[in-house]
Amino acid sequence: SFDDIIAITAFGIFTTVAFNQAPGGVSAEVKEPSGAGELVFEVFMNLVQLFAGLVVGMGLGWTFKCFHKIKAPKTRMMVKLFMVVLVAVAMPIVAEVSTFKESKFVGIIFFGYMCFQVWGEDKPEEELALIWMFCQPFLFGTVGAAVQFKDIDPNTLGTGIAVIFIGLACRWIGAFAAMLEPKYTMKEKAFVAFGWIPKATV
C-alpha cells in the first residue's frame, strides 16, 4: 500500500507539472502561460489533497470500531461488509464532486488500513474477496475500454511505445536490484524482475 501511495503521489505531481507546462495543457486555458508561482501552488495543492485523503481515510476507518458493539457475529460481519463497500464507492464520488480528486486513492488505502487496525481478524475478508472476484473483470475491462485509439496521434505512437519500454526497463532494473541478496540465485532475481513487468501499478 505504501508503494502505491508513493507512486500515486509522484504520479500526481508529475502530471500536474506536465499538464501545466505542455502546449494545450491546463495553462492553455488561461491566456498567459503559467508562471513558476502558479506551478508551485498546483503542486502544493496536490500534496494538500493527498494529506486530506490520509486524514479522512484514517479518521473514517477509526470510527468504524463502533461496529464491534454488534453482538451477533453474522450481522456484525454483514454490516461491516456493507459499510466498507459503501465507503469504497462513495469516497471517489465525493472526492470528484469536492474537486479533491487526488485524495480518493490515498483516502481509500488508509481507510482500509485503519479498518484492519481497529477490527483485527474480525473483518469481512472472505466476503470482500468474493465480491472482488466478480468486480475485477469489470474493473480491468473498463480500464481497457477507456483507451481511445482514434485519439492517438500516429506521429507520437513510436515515442509513446518507447516511453513504455523505458519504464518497463527501469521497473525490471528496480525489481532486480531489490533482490540483490546473497540468498537468491541469479535465476530467482531475474524471475522476480520479469514477474513484475505486467504489474498494474501507476
Side-chain angles (χ1 to χ4, degrees):
S1 294
F2 285 102
D3 165 56
D4 290 338
I5 290 164
I6 292 167
I8 289 164
T9 304
F11 184 78
I13 290 170
F14 289 139
T15 50
T16 299
V17 172
F19 285 121
N20 272 276
Q21 297 296 317
V26 175
S27 61
E29 295 174 8
V30 239
K31 302 273 180 188
E32 303 170 5
S34 67
E38 185 185 339
L39 183 58
V40 169
F41 176 76
E42 290 287 341
V43 171
F44 172 74
M45 285 306 297
N46 208 303
L47 295 173
V48 167
Q49 290 183 47
L50 292 168
F51 182 74
L54 186 153
V55 171
V56 170
M58 294 276 277
L60 196 58
W62 184 80
T63 62
F64 274 32
K65 67 179 181 178
C66 66
F67 296 121
H68 268 319
K69 296 178 181 177
I70 302 171
K71 299 295 182 186
K74 284 189 177 179
T75 306
R76 183 172 66 241
M77 202 60 73
M78 291 311 294
V79 170
K80 286 180 178 180
L81 174 66
F82 175 76
M83 293 305 296
V84 165
V85 172
L86 180 67
V87 170
V89 172
M91 194 174 284
I93 296 170
V94 171
E96 290 288 334
V97 171
S98 65
T99 68
F100 267 52
K101 299 179 181 180
E102 298 297 328
S103 62
K104 59 186 174 226
F105 307 114
V106 174
I108 287 174
I109 288 171
F110 275 101
F111 166 73
Y113 169 76
M114 186 51 73
C115 282
F116 172 69
Q117 290 299 313
V118 297
W119 289 343
E121 292 305 315
D122 189 31
K123 58 186 185 294
E125 187 175 10
E126 292 179 8
E127 294 84 352
L128 281 170
L130 185 65
I131 292 173
W132 176 243
M133 185 174 70
F134 289 102
C135 291
Q136 193 170 340
F138 290 105
L139 173 66
F140 288 102
T142 51
V143 169
V147 178
Q148 301 294 323
F149 289 100
K150 62 182 177 61
D151 294 335
I152 296 175
D153 183 359
N155 298 322
T156 61
L157 188 60
T159 307
I161 292 171
V163 167
I164 291 170
F165 274 101
I166 291 168
L168 290 176
C170 291
R171 166 176 282 171
W172 192 97
I173 293 165
F176 189 88
M179 297 289 291
L180 288 179
E181 289 188 31
K183 62 182 178 181
Y184 300 116
T185 66
M186 288 298 289
K187 284 183 180 179
E188 287 171 333
K189 294 171 187 174
F191 177 81
V192 170
F194 280 113
W196 268 58
I197 284 178
K199 190 177 184 306
T201 307
V202 176

